[in-house]
Each structure stands twice: as C-alpha cells, then as structure tokens.
C-alpha cells in the first residue's frame, strides 16, 4: 500500500510540475508577444517614443565617449612621465599640503579628493548662476525707455536743399561782442552745447552761442556724402544765415573736435580762434610716434579699440551694435554705450542725477530719427583719412620754390609773404585724469602745433571741467575773452538832428499847401 501511495504522490507532484511548467511557458510567450506588438504599435505611431529612444542612445554614446576621453587622459596625460605631471605635480602637492587642514571639516568616511571636487563644481555652478542673474536683470522699474519729444529747433535751408537745425543762447546778434559755434560730439545733439553754461555768464561777456545738429542727428537732415570739408561748409553757411558778420570762435569738445579742426583747416579766414576741451584727433594719425600711439591706445578699453577697428575696416557691422545699445529704445549709462573707461571723479559725476537727466534728454534728441547710418558715418569720419593733418594748421611761409635765386628775390623785394595755416589763437584744456581722450593726445597736438596754448588740469577728468562747472566756464571765458564787458550797447540812429527837423518842416509845409489847394477847389 505504501508503494502505491508513494507512486500516487509522485505522479501527482509530477503532474503539478508539468502543469506549472506549461503554465509559465504559455504566460511568458503571451506576454512577450503582447509587448512586442505594443512596442511595434508605439514605434510606428508615436514619434515621442522614437525621440526618447534616440535621446537614450545619444546619452549612452556621450557617457561612453566621456569614459573613453577619461581613459585617454589617464593613459597619456596623467602618467608619471608626462610633461604636465612633472611640471605641476610638485606645486599641486604643496598647495594640497597647505590646505590639508580643511579635510578636518569633512566627514571621516568621505574621500577628500572626491568631496572637494564636488564642492568646487557646486561653487562654480553657483557663481555662474549669480553672474547670469546679474547680467540679465529683469527689473522693469529701473529701465527707462527713450522718449520722442516734439520738434523745438530753429531751421535754416542750406544751398544743397538740406535743413540744418540750430539753437541760440546768450545775447542777440546786434549786441554780441563774441560769437561761438559749437558742433556736438558723438551721440549728442544741439541741446548739449556747453553743459550747464549759465545765460548770465554769456550776458556778462557779451557772447552769442550757437549750437547745431550734425547731419542726421536731431532735427537736421542727413547728408549721404558728407566729409570734414562739407562739415566745415555747414558751419560757414550757418554763420552767414544767422548774420554773424564778424569772425567767430569755434568750440570743440571730445570727438566733436574733429569738426572744429575741419573749420580751422577749410575756413580759417572766418574764425577768430578755437576753444578745445579734451580734443580728439584721428587715432591713426600718421605723424604720431610709436610711443604716443602706445600711450593713447593703452588708456582705452578693449571694446573701444574694437569699435575703432570696426569703423576703420568693417563699418557695415557698426549698425548692428548700435541697434543693440543706444538705438534699442532704452536708456543706459554713457560708459556702457560708448565703452568708456572713467576715472573716479568722472564716475562720480556721470552717476549723479543732474548728469543723468541731461544725458538722457540729449540722447533722446540725438537718436530722434532712429537711423544708424549717421552714427556710422560719424564713427568712420573719426578714424578715416581726414585729407589733412593737424600739423597743416601750423603757420608757415609759402615759397614758390627752393632755389637760391628765389630766396635772393625774397630778400631784396619788400613783398608781403604769404603764409598758410591758422593764424588765430587755439586754446586747449586737458584733464590729467582723462581716460577717454588721454593727455598724450593733447601733448601730440602741442608738439606739432607749438603755438597752441595748452592748459593742463591736474585733477580733472573728461567730464568734470566741461560739464556743470560754473567756475570752470568762467575761467575759460576769462582766458579767451578777457575781462567781462557785457553786451554791446544798442545801436542809435546817427542821423543829424538838423536834417531831421528840416525834413519834418518840409513835410508840414507840403501838407499845408495841399490843404489850401483843396479849399480853393
């Protein structure tokens, strides 16, 4: 009986095992076919599945690539006999030895190398996030948009049909002892003039100041073929249109000085003199020595140097950068837009509220037409060939030849010698701490034009002497114009009194005669 029972139990166990085997086999096959079918349906119908699989494959390939690079670096660069290991292993071990005390702050079960690697990576990532957040500040309350103001300039019509916008300040034309015409610098307008100059000072010295917009700036029409010669002609036509009959002074500040230099070169007979404050010359002036050029270019920022090189070689790229900065429709600081390096006194001035309000209004007028081409033309004029050199303004005698015979004739003949250059005074004020127009530039001008009167300002920068400084303005006027004498007295009719009485008597008698004739009729 026991054998029968054992055989029965074995048979039942065998049947159960076979059943289990069959069941598991059948379920696995069914599941596999179902998964394959579902995968085929997903792969054929859902693009997201394909993108996910591609991303997984790319990630796996990237990981394997990084591992391969790591192995290559270990086998070739980080070997004991490699140049890098031999050169930097000693200093690296010394630095790690000095910083070994920091390992005491790490957990005991952590590898110091691995821990400090993670800390360094986290620190770099945090620093990058802070930099990105600082550069991309989205605070809307501090961003000011450029406004468009109603037209306010007076206009004259030039011979070529263009309109030139100007503004007057000071005494009238009839009472002016002295007249000044002021061309403005880059990214400025007629509203600048001499910033902060009080009208009372102009009245005391009897000065009439005229400022105007360069072509394409402010309310002036653009000039598509302009150069420094046409710039001087604009100043000449403006003086005639405003009834400036006597010689006038031209004022040049910063890079606006190139228009003053052009006036000295092309219309010297109409000028009484020049007032220059931190005057800019062509940075590629061929008469500069290597030492002078090195001192000048060494003061500028990398962006400033790049802008000059672009203006000289690739000017068509400039409008792209201008539309990203001052033509973007939003205000910003002057040093960022013009890539300026400022000293401490200049920095304190430009960050003040008075300068900021003046600067923003001036920029809004300058970019009124929202056209990048005039600004590109102005930048190109600064660094291109001027067709004259600053040294050409030096007074020198003109001789028809260099022969001995002509020289003897000039001795025995009492003929008036003809001279070239500018005969009037040129005053230059230059700040010693100016990093926008370095003092070396004014030193160069004084070297090639020794007759210029160079006034060096020991503690002044680029803006501090010209902007909002009443005492500075008074010093300049006193140096140039002497003691203040006020405006000219109004002109009185010089007709003799007897002649006036005689004319009035004739009128009376003629009227009486006319009345008598009418009564007789």
């Amino acid at each position: 009986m026991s054998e029968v029972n054992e055989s029965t139990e074995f048979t039942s166990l065998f049947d159960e095992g076979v059943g289990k085997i069959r069941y598991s086999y059948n379920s696995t096959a069914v599941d596999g076919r179902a998964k394959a079918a579902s995968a085929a349906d997903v792969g054929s119908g859902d693009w997201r599945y394909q993108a996910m699989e591609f991303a997984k494959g790319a990630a796996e390939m990237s990981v394997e690539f990084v591992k391969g690079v790591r192995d290559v670096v270990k086998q070739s660069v980080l070997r004991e006999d490699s140049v890098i290991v031999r050169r930097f292993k000693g200093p690296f071990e010394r630095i790690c030895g000095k910083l070994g005390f920091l390992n005491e702050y790490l957990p005991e079960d952590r590898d110091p190398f691995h821990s400090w690697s993670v800390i360094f990576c986290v620190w770099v990532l945090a620093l990058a996030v802070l930099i990105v957040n600082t550069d991309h500040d989205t605070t809307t309350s501090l961003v000011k948009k450029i406004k468009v103001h109603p037209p306010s300039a007076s206009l004259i019509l030039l011979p070529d049909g263009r309109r030139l916008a100007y503004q007057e300040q000071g005494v009238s034309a009839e009472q002016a002892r002295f007249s000044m015409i002021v061309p403005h610098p880059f990214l400025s307008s007629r509203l600048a003039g001499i910033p902060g100059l009080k009208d009372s000072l102009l009245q005391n010295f009897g000065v009439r100041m005229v400022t105007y917009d360069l072509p394409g700036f402010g309310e002036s029409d653009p000039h598509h073929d302009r150069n420094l010669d046409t710039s001087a002609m604009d100043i000449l036509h403006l003086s005639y249109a405003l009834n400036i009959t006597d010689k006038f002074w031209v004022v040049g500040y910063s890079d606006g000085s190139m228009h003053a230099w052009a006036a000295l070169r092309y219309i010297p007979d109409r000028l009484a003199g020049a007032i220059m404050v931190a005057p800019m010359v062509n940075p590629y002036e061929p008469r500069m020595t290597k030492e002078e050029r090195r001192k000048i270019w060494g003061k500028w920022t990398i962006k400033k140097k790049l802008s000059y090189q672009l203006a000289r070689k690739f000017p068509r790229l400039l409008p792209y950068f201008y539309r990203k900065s001052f033509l973007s429709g939003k205000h910003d600081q002057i040093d960022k837009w013009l890539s300026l390096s400022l000293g401490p006194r200049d920095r304190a001035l430009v960050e003040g509220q008075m300068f900021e309000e003046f600067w923003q209004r001036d920029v809004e007028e300058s970019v009124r037409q929202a056209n990048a081409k005039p600004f590109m033309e102005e930048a190109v004029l600064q660094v291109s060939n001027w067709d004259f050199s600053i040294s050409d303004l030096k007074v020198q005698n003109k001789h028809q030849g260099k022969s001995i015979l002509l020289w003897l004739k000039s001795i025995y003949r009492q003929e008036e010698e003809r001279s070239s250059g500018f005969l009037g005074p040129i005053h230059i004020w230059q700040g010693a701490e100016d990093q926008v127009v370095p003092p070396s530039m004014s030193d160069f001008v004084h070297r090639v034009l020794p007759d210029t009167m160079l006034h060096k300002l020991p503690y002044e920068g680029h803006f501090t002497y010209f902007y909002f400084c009443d005492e500075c303005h008074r010093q300049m006027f006193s140096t140039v114009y002497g003691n203040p004498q006020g405006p000219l007295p109004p002109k009185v009719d010089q007709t003799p009194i007897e002649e006036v009485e005689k004319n009035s008597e004739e009128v009376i008698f003629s009227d009486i005669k006319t009345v008598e004739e009418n009564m007789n009729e």
Side-chain angles (χ1 to χ4, degrees), residues 254-293:
S254 191
D255 45 15
S257 300
M258 66 176 174
H259 303 288
W261 293 124
L264 294 173
R265 176 66 179 87
Y266 293 111
I267 55 171
D269 296 336
R270 289 286 292 136
L271 300 182
I275 301 173
M276 302 286 195
V277 181
M280 186 78 176
V281 300
N282 192 335
Y284 295 94
E285 169 66 45
R287 292 183 179 268
M288 285 185 185
T289 63
K290 292 183 179 180
E291 183 65 17
E292 290 172 337
R293 188 174 286 107

Side-chain angles (χ1 to χ4, degrees), residues 396-408 410:
Q396 52 188 355
N397 295 330
K398 286 184 177 180
H399 297 290
Q400 297 179 355
K402 297 182 180 180
S403 64
I404 299 177
L405 181 60
L406 292 174
W407 177 72
L408 293 174
S410 65

Side-chain angles (χ1 to χ4, degrees), residues 6-65:
E6 291 175 1
S7 62
T8 303
E9 292 174 1
F10 176 78
T11 305
S12 63
L13 291 172
F14 178 78
D15 294 337
E16 289 177 3
V18 172
K20 289 180 179 179
I21 293 173
R22 289 177 180 176
Y23 178 76
S24 63
Y25 172 79
N26 292 335
S27 62
T28 303
V30 172
D31 291 342
R33 288 194 296 270
K35 290 180 179 179
S38 62
D41 294 338
V42 171
S44 60
D46 192 358
W47 61 270
R48 290 176 295 180
Y49 174 79
Q50 298 178 1
M52 187 180 298
E53 292 297 324
F54 177 79
K56 289 180 180 179
E60 292 176 357
M61 293 176 62
S62 300
V63 171
E64 294 298 328
F65 175 75

Side-chain angles (χ1 to χ4, degrees), residues 161-433:
R162 291 183 293 115
R163 295 174 301 175
L164 192 71
Y166 70 94
Q167 177 176 284
E168 292 187 75
Q169 186 179 354
V171 302
S172 62
E174 294 77 14
Q175 295 182 294
R177 291 184 182 273
F178 309 100
S179 298
M180 299 191 310
I181 295 183
V182 188
H184 62 79
F186 186 83
L187 196 57
S188 186
S189 70
R190 70 184 184 282
L191 301 182
I194 300 178
L197 179 63
K198 292 185 177 180
D199 192 71
S200 59
L201 185 64
L202 294 172
Q203 295 287 340
N204 290 338
F205 283 87
V207 177
R208 179 193 186 193
M209 185 175 71
V210 179
T211 61
Y212 69 98
D213 290 327
L214 295 175
F217 291 70
E219 298 182 35
S220 291
D221 293 338
H223 187 193
H224 302 292
D225 192 23
R226 71 186 183 108
N227 50 40
L228 292 182
D229 188 1
T230 61
S231 179
M233 292 301 105
D234 287 348
I235 295 177
L236 180 65
H237 295 313
L238 178 64
S239 67
Y240 286 139
L242 299 184
N243 195 27
I244 302 178
T245 56
D246 297 331
K247 292 185 177 182
F248 58 89
W249 290 77
V250 63
V251 180
Y253 169 68
S254 191
D255 45 15
S257 300
M258 66 176 174
H259 303 288
W261 293 124
L264 294 173
R265 176 66 179 87
Y266 293 111
I267 55 171
D269 296 336
R270 289 286 292 136
L271 300 182
I275 301 173
M276 302 286 195
V277 181
M280 186 78 176
V281 300
N282 192 335
Y284 295 94
E285 169 66 45
R287 292 183 179 268
M288 285 185 185
T289 63
K290 292 183 179 180
E291 183 65 17
E292 290 172 337
R293 188 174 286 107
R294 183 189 64 81
K295 290 182 179 180
I296 292 172
W297 285 81
K299 292 289 186 179
W300 291 331
T301 62
I302 296 177
K303 290 184 179 180
K304 187 72 173 179
K305 298 175 185 177
L306 179 61
S307 65
Y308 283 144
Q309 293 174 359
L310 288 178
R312 188 172 176 87
K313 298 180 180 179
F314 307 101
R316 295 185 180 275
L317 297 179
L318 292 176
Y320 170 79
F321 295 100
Y322 293 160
R323 294 188 183 98
K324 294 292 183 179
S325 55
F326 54 82
L327 292 180
S328 63
K330 298 179 181 179
H331 283 292
D332 207 339
Q333 294 181 354
I334 184 174
D335 56 329
K336 292 183 179 180
W337 275 354
L338 301 181
S339 304
L340 304 181
S341 175
L342 301 179
R345 296 194 62 186
D346 280 335
R347 174 70 60 185
L349 176 64
V350 301
E351 291 179 354
Q353 183 178 1
M354 181 183 298
F355 183 92
E356 182 179 0
E357 293 176 355
F358 168 83
W359 160 252
Q360 291 179 357
R361 180 64 183 91
D362 191 29
V363 169
E364 289 172 348
E365 188 64 26
S366 179
V367 301
R368 167 186 290 273
Q369 302 182 33
N371 186 6
K373 189 172 182 180
F375 296 94
M376 181 189 70
E377 293 171 349
E378 188 74 5
V380 171
L381 277 179
Q382 183 64 63
V383 298
S384 60
N385 184 14
W386 285 9
D387 292 330
F388 69 92
S389 176
I390 300 296
S391 60
D392 295 339
L393 303 177
K394 182 178 179 180
V395 178
Q396 52 188 355
N397 295 330
K398 286 184 177 180
H399 297 290
Q400 297 179 355
K402 297 182 180 180
S403 64
I404 299 177
L405 181 60
L406 292 174
W407 177 72
L408 293 174
K409 288 181 179 180
S410 65
I411 293 177
Y412 288 103
R413 290 184 181 180
Q414 300 297 326
E415 294 180 352
E416 182 180 357
E417 291 185 341
R418 296 182 300 168
S419 60
S420 64
F422 181 68
L423 300 176
I426 300 176
H427 292 270
I428 297 178
W429 280 268
Q430 177 64 55
E433 298 181 3

